[in-house]
Amino acid sequence: MPEGLLSGEAAWAAVKAGRALPLAGGPLAFTQIELIQRDARKRAAAGFAAPDFERSLRRQPAAMRRRLEALLDRLTARRPRFAGLAMDRPRIMGIINVTPDSFSDGGQFLDAGRAIEHGRRLVEAGAGILDIGGESTRPGAEPVSAAEEIRRVVPVIEGLHRSGAVISIDTRHSSVMAAAVEAGASIINDVTALTGDPESLGVAARSRAGVVLMHMQGEPRTMQANPRYREAALDLYDYFAAQIETAETAGLPRRRIAIDPGIGFGKSVAHNQDILHRLALLQGLGCPVLLGVSRKSFIAKLSRGEDAGHRLAGSLAAALWGLRTGAQMIRVHDVAETAQAVAVWQALASP
């Protein structure tokens, strides 16, 4: 796990001086690395200065050295373009819920015309990606048929695709994925990490689209009942490693995959905090990280119990924390406010 993160000019000066290594080839660098090993009985960790870790590899047995060298390569290598977008700067994904029951804005954009107009405003405000969903996955949400989902989202995708927007389809159903890609979507964003529908993995592999694998413990109706983990951040890392291996075997290469830790999806406030504190750990998988924290209930639980419409400040704080710890993309409702916050953060980090 990379630690001692630096940004902007300080990061590159430290890399040039040999005191740090670049994180994901981007604007961050790390000066320390914690090597975590665990099995069924114990967990062990060892800390190294980042340059010393490279030298320590020479003393490892051959098999372990190869594993650690691959890990270090994934931590430091520049991320490939995702859905045509360079991952060398923060990307904002704007949310468009074409649903009657989403937790924050359900019903506001159920009409296709209003949803298209809203999407165009989000692009003008700074969204590089538009994430369009036709089924709510809030805690306790009831499922929606694939046919109804398609009816809701395809006209919106077609309308915004004609405007030149980069479109993501937020769905867990393979038939919706296929219809959305045909309509112009270039990203498939699945809260089940392609496990919720037996056809999803094949559809995603054949689509040539970028794919976001999200972690969710359980399913929307029950996921917040009693989520349990040994260690949340480490459990997510192991989960994603297995899902990426499965995807690669099925013909979906790592270069087309991004990962989303699924904040609030089958996780307590403590679990969310652990994952956010160790978010840089996920860079060891070699994929861009998408973080969705916008208006989520953990913000209110850490604050004063605000409703979803009054969580902007907390959403911005959590989003900037995510960028500071390595996330390449952030999924948000409030695009203009987020774009302003990101612009100021970048300017202050790179004097």
Side-chain angles (χ1 to χ4, degrees):
M1 174 178 169
E3 296 181 330
L5 294 176
L6 303 171
S7 61
E9 295 296 329
W12 291 116
V15 170
K16 187 175 181 179
R19 294 184 286 105
L21 296 172
L23 182 66
L28 302 179
F30 58 99
T31 61
Q32 302 286 324
I33 186 166
E34 182 185 26
L35 180 61
I36 303 171
Q37 295 175 292
R38 69 171 182 174
D39 57 27
R41 300 180 305 278
K42 63 181 179 179
R43 173 186 180 281
F48 301 85
D52 292 340
F53 182 71
E54 289 185 294
R55 291 190 287 270
S56 74
L57 296 180
R58 302 169 193 158
R59 300 192 294 271
Q60 300 292 330
M64 177 61 74
R65 183 173 67 250
R66 286 193 294 271
R67 287 178 59 192
L68 294 177
E69 285 173 343
L71 173 63
L72 191 61
D73 285 345
R74 292 195 297 268
L75 276 173
T76 58
R78 184 178 299 277
R79 298 293 176 256
R81 297 175 74 88
F82 184 71
L85 298 173
M87 294 287 102
D88 58 350
R89 62 185 184 277
R91 296 291 181 174
I92 297 173
M93 175 185 278
I95 299 167
I96 305 176
N97 289 316
V98 192
T99 62
D101 57 344
S102 291
F103 82 96
S104 176
D105 55 3
Q108 292 186 37
F109 307 111
L110 188 56
D111 175 75
R114 291 184 64 188
I116 292 169
E117 181 183 355
H118 180 58
R120 289 171 178 160
R121 287 198 300 268
L122 293 183
V123 171
E124 291 174 0
I129 306 167
L130 298 177
D131 192 41
I132 300 171
E135 178 190 37
S136 174
T137 50
R138 62 178 172 78
E142 292 296 324
V144 172
S145 72
E148 174 61 16
E149 229 184 307
I150 290 170
R151 186 192 68 78
R152 293 175 180 178
V153 302
V154 164
V156 181
I157 293 170
E158 289 175 340
L160 289 169
H161 178 62
R162 286 193 292 269
S163 299
V166 177
I167 305 297
S168 167
I169 177 63
D170 178 5
T171 185
R172 51 182 175 157
H173 299 119
S174 62
S175 59
V176 182
M177 296 174 190
V181 170
E182 184 176 355
S186 54
I187 298 171
I188 294 169
N189 182 11
D190 184 1
V191 297
T192 74
L194 303 178
T195 67
D197 180 329
E199 303 299 322
S200 291
L201 184 54
V203 168
R206 293 189 297 271
S207 71
R208 299 187 180 180
V211 178
V212 179
L213 303 178
M214 198 196 83
H215 177 274
M216 173 173 61
Q217 188 177 98
E219 53 92 21
R221 285 177 293 182
T222 60
M223 62 187 179
Q224 290 303 105
N226 187 26
R228 293 177 178 272
Y229 298 86
R230 288 177 61 199
E231 290 186 74
L234 298 183
D235 289 357
L236 261 64
Y237 186 96
D238 293 343
Y239 172 84
F240 282 124
Q243 294 306 116
I244 291 168
E245 182 177 355
T246 298
E248 289 183 309
T249 301
L252 176 60
R254 191 182 298 253
R255 59 182 168 77
R256 282 174 45 203
I257 296 172
I259 56 176
D260 178 348
I263 298 298
F265 283 78
K267 298 167 183 76
S268 69
V269 173
H271 297 146
N272 292 327
Q273 288 179 280
D274 181 50
I275 293 162
L276 288 169
H277 286 152
R278 299 181 177 184
L279 193 65
L281 174 71
L282 297 179
Q283 295 295 338
L285 295 161
C287 300
V289 173
L290 168 66
L291 181 66
V293 290
S294 181
R295 302 185 185 176
K296 291 194 172 176
S297 63
F298 86 98
I299 294 170
K301 292 172 183 175
L302 291 173
S303 180
R304 300 169 59 187
E306 298 89 344
D307 62 34
H310 295 87
R311 297 173 188 164
L312 174 59
S315 298
L316 294 175
L320 293 180
W321 173 272
L323 294 179
R324 179 67 181 81
T325 51
Q328 283 83 12
M329 296 176 279
I330 45 178
R331 183 178 182 273
V332 306
H333 298 85
D334 303 291
V335 169
E337 294 85 349
T338 303
Q340 183 182 81
V342 171
V344 173
W345 174 73
Q346 287 181 294
L348 295 176
S350 303

